[in-house]
Amino acid sequence: QVQLVESGGGLVQAGGSLRLSCAASGSFFSIDAMGWYRQAPGNQRELVARIFSGSTNYADSVKGRFTISRDYAKNTIYLQMNSLKPEDTAVYYCHADMIIDSMRRGDYWGQGTQVTVSS
């Protein structure tokens, strides 16, 4: 059984910073891509940032403000969010694309962590 556990959300004023963490645990062979998505009320879930084989990609709205990183030894990713804006307010979800064994791949989501940016 695979789990993704997020932490680090909270309430911050505009211009402030937060750091999200997501740790993967359980039975799997390896992790391919990991990333962060977010969903604001009334909106669809959208990609924020993704990291795969050392390469990263970001939503245009967060480029230059957010940084995704990965600790391969700890199966953990981080999202450093700087210069936060009220429009960054959303539930942030961790995602992982995993190789479970020689026959199976898995697509997993964390439970979500709330980020609220006040103006």
Side-chain angles (χ1 to χ4, degrees), residues 79-116:
L79 186 68
Q80 179 66 43
M81 304 185 293
N82 298 328
S83 302
L84 282 159
K85 304 175 181 180
E87 50 264 43
D88 294 319
T89 295
V91 178
Y92 284 69
Y93 296 91
C94 176
H95 173 265
D97 180 14
M98 295 182 169
I99 299 173
I100 305 303
D101 56 36
S102 61
M103 299 290 288
R104 296 177 294 161
R105 297 185 68 95
D107 194 30
Y108 296 90
W109 293 91
Q111 80 284 358
T113 185
Q114 178 70 47
V115 171
T116 302

Side-chain angles (χ1 to χ4, degrees), residues 44-97:
Q44 290 189 331
R45 191 172 296 188
E46 63 175 0
L47 174 68
V48 176
R50 186 171 180 265
I51 186 165
F52 174 71
S53 295
S55 296
T56 58
N57 61 287
Y58 297 90
D60 287 344
S61 59
V62 307
K63 283 180 182 176
R65 300 188 298 122
F66 291 10
T67 303
I68 188 170
S69 59
R70 180 172 169 180
D71 185 330
Y72 287 82
K74 296 181 179 179
N75 290 320
T76 298
I77 59 168
Y78 305 93
L79 186 68
Q80 179 66 43
M81 304 185 293
N82 298 328
S83 302
L84 282 159
K85 304 175 181 180
E87 50 264 43
D88 294 319
T89 295
V91 178
Y92 284 69
Y93 296 91
C94 176
H95 173 265
D97 180 14

